[in-house]
Amino acid sequence: MLMVDWIALAILVVFAAIGALVGFGKGLKFLTGGIFGIIISVVLCYIFGSMILGIPFVNDLLTKLAEAIGGWSIAVTVIYYIVLFVLFTLIRILIVKIIRKVAEADVLVMKIINRVLGAVLLAAFGILLGMLALQIIYWVQANPDTYGEIYLNWMSHAETGEPSAIVGALYINNPLSALADYFMHLVEMIKGGVEGAALALAG
C-alpha cells in the first residue's frame, strides 16, 4: 500500500473512534439533522410526493383548495410540497428520537451495541465523504487522456502506474460515479415531481 492508503486508514480509524465515543444515537441525530435532514426530507418528498397525491382523500383536499382560490395554480402544488416536507421532517425527527432512546438505554448490552454501531455509522460516513472527495477530484482533473496529477502523484504506483490498494482503486471504481447523473439532474427530478402533481390536480 502507498502512504495515501495508510493516511486514509488512519482517518477511517479516527472516524470510527469518534463514532464509538459519541455512540450510535448521537451520531444518527447528527447525520439526520441540519442540511442532511433537509436533503433527506426533500428526497422523500420527491419519491413519495406523486404517490401520496394519488390518494383520493389528498387529491380531493387539494382540488377543493384549488377551487377555493379560483382554480389550480402553482401555489397549490407549492403548498402541498411544503406541508409534505414538514410532515416528513416531523416523522424523521420522531423516528430518530425513538431509535436514539432505544440505543442509549441504560443497559450494559445496549451501551456496548450503541458504541459499536456508532463506530460503524461514523466510519461509513467517513468512507462516504472520502468517495465524495475523490469524485470531486475526478470531475476537476479528469479528461479523456489522463486521471490528473493528483492521481499520478498520490494514488498510483510510480513504477507501474497501477492504482494504490485502497484510495487509487476507489478513485477509479468510485460507486458515486454511477450516481453522478442523479445528483446532476436533481433539480430536474424535483421539477418532474412538481409537474406530476400539477397533472394529477388538473386531471
Side-chain angles (χ1 to χ4, degrees), residues 85-103:
F85 175 84
V86 172
L87 288 177
F88 277 130
T89 299
L90 293 176
I91 293 172
R92 171 178 53 79
I93 293 174
L94 178 61
I95 291 175
V96 170
K97 282 187 176 180
I98 293 174
I99 294 176
R100 183 179 178 185
K101 187 173 183 179
V102 173

Side-chain angles (χ1 to χ4, degrees), residues 37 110 162 186-187:
M110 289 307 302
E162 295 179 355
L186 181 61
V187 175

Side-chain angles (χ1 to χ4, degrees), residues 178-190:
L179 300 176
D181 290 339
Y182 172 81
F183 289 108
M184 290 176 65
H185 297 290
L186 181 61
V187 175
E188 286 77 1
M189 293 172 66
I190 296 175

Side-chain angles (χ1 to χ4, degrees), residues 81-198:
Y81 275 99
I82 289 176
V83 172
L84 200 62
F85 175 84
V86 172
L87 288 177
F88 277 130
T89 299
L90 293 176
I91 293 172
R92 171 178 53 79
I93 293 174
L94 178 61
I95 291 175
V96 170
K97 282 187 176 180
I98 293 174
I99 294 176
R100 183 179 178 185
K101 187 173 183 179
V102 173
E104 296 178 347
D106 192 15
V107 180
L108 179 59
V109 175
M110 289 307 302
K111 287 182 178 180
I112 296 174
I113 293 176
N114 186 40
R115 300 297 182 183
V116 173
L117 291 182
V120 173
L121 179 64
L122 265 293
F125 179 66
I127 293 174
L128 179 61
L129 287 181
M131 291 191 298
L132 180 59
L134 291 176
Q135 187 63 36
I136 292 174
I137 292 173
Y138 180 83
W139 282 334
V140 171
Q141 294 206 48
N143 60 59
D145 300 319
T146 179
Y147 283 116
E149 291 185 4
I150 291 181
Y151 170 79
L152 296 176
N153 295 334
W154 295 95
M155 304 178 197
S156 66
H157 294 277
E159 299 82 3
T160 64
E162 295 179 355
S164 63
I166 299 175
V167 179
L170 188 59
Y171 178 79
I172 295 177
N173 304 291
N174 195 336
L176 290 185
S177 62
L179 300 176
D181 290 339
Y182 172 81
F183 289 108
M184 290 176 65
H185 297 290
L186 181 61
V187 175
E188 286 77 1
M189 293 172 66
I190 296 175
K191 180 181 178 181
V194 174
E195 290 177 350

